[in-house]
Amino acid sequence: AQSVTQLDSHVSVSEGTPVLLRCNYSSSYSPSLFWYVQHPNKGLQLLLKYTSAATLVKGINGFEAEFKKSETSFHLTKPSAHMSDAAEYFCVVSGGDSGNTPLVFGKGTRLSVIA
Amino acid sequence: EAGVAQSPRYKIIEKRQSVAFWCNPISGHATLYWYQQILGQGPKLLIQFQNNGVVDDSQLPKDRFSAERLKGVDSTLKIQPAKLEDSAVYLCASSDPTGTKSSYNEQFFGPGTRLTVL
């Protein structure tokens, strides 16, 4: 079975400082991994995805994540936080090895950005 | 390209009442998912359709939840009767299993329906 563990339920950073949201995964297959963001009362938006291409994945709004197989990690980073980054972030793994499988979500990390 | 549409956006009902949610996926997407997101948690899969057939409903509480996808396009999720613990956001997502490598396994989510059961 596939699973993800988001190591922090809440992260607080100052505006302009780096962001690190940590995620470890478990998968029987070569995984597809995603980060989604959810702003209050908004739908889920895909930030970036890893599908066995480059291990360093660049996403929208300056976010990126690095797939590290040896550490089974897929941490999300951003060099400089902006107030608009405050939201809930979900690390997600695909539930199988086909292109048509449900997603398994982590419990989420709430990012707060302090002015 | 139009996104995934859901309605209603909000619903408040009393326990033991019935409720239905509607989803219209992205045009041409054969796969449709319903997820339940309880406050403070990540979404959890309820049911997956491929065209109008059920692929996975192992997490669907079948004594009270039902879903259908007639004609392989729109889908309806029903709860009858509702319980307090059904209060959640119900998310619909769709994907194209024949997509290119760039869209492989990518699911597109609707805005969700927030259900409150009193």
Side-chain angles (χ1 to χ4, degrees), chain A residues 32 34 36 38 41-44 46 49 51-53 90 94-103 105-108, chain B residues 9-10 31 33 35 37 40-43 45 48 50 56 91 95 97 101-107 109-111 114:
Chain A
S32 292
F34 310 79
Y36 279 84
Q38 188 175 39
N41 299 314
K42 297 286 182 64
L44 285 160
L46 180 67
K49 61 184 176 182
T51 54
S52 75
F90 293 97
S94 63
D97 60 351
S98 74
N100 192 26
T101 53
L103 301 178
F105 284 76
K107 292 186 176 181
Chain B
R9 291 294 310 276
Y10 305 91
T31 309
Y33 311 80
Y35 291 85
Q37 185 178 16
Q41 299 181 20
L45 179 73
Q48 176 186 352
Q50 175 75 13
D56 183 355
L91 295 164
S95 67
K101 189 173 184 180
S102 65
S103 64
Y104 190 76
N105 212 14
E106 182 171 346
Q107 295 182 21
F109 285 82
R114 182 178 297 277

Side-chain angles (χ1 to χ4, degrees), chain B residues 62-83:
Chain B
K62 299 182 188 60
D63 57 332
R64 298 182 299 106
F65 285 65
S66 64
E68 60 183 8
R69 191 183 183 197
L70 300 176
K71 301 181 182 179
V73 182
D74 294 4
S75 177
T76 303
L77 176 70
K78 296 179 181 177
I79 307 175
Q80 181 180 15
K83 292 185 175 182

Side-chain angles (χ1 to χ4, degrees), chain A residues 55 60 68 103:
Chain A
T55 56
I60 62 172
K68 292 186 176 181
L103 301 178

Side-chain angles (χ1 to χ4, degrees), chain B residues 4-79:
Chain B
V4 177
Q6 290 187 248
S7 68
R9 291 294 310 276
Y10 305 91
K11 190 75 177 178
I12 300 174
I13 62 172
E14 305 256 333
K15 61 183 179 183
R16 291 188 288 273
Q17 285 187 321
S18 301
V19 64
F21 313 127
W22 173 82
C23 173
N24 180 241
I26 292 173
S27 177
H29 280 193
T31 309
L32 185 147
Y33 311 80
W34 282 102
Y35 291 85
Q36 180 192 57
Q37 185 178 16
I38 293 172
L39 186 65
Q41 299 181 20
K44 183 187 76 172
L45 179 73
L46 289 175
I47 188 167
Q48 176 186 352
F49 291 93
Q50 175 75 13
N51 296 309
N52 60 352
V54 175
V55 174
D56 183 355
D57 64 356
S58 58
Q59 300 297 310
L60 189 72
K62 299 182 188 60
D63 57 332
R64 298 182 299 106
F65 285 65
S66 64
E68 60 183 8
R69 191 183 183 197
L70 300 176
K71 301 181 182 179
V73 182
D74 294 4
S75 177
T76 303
L77 176 70
K78 296 179 181 177
I79 307 175

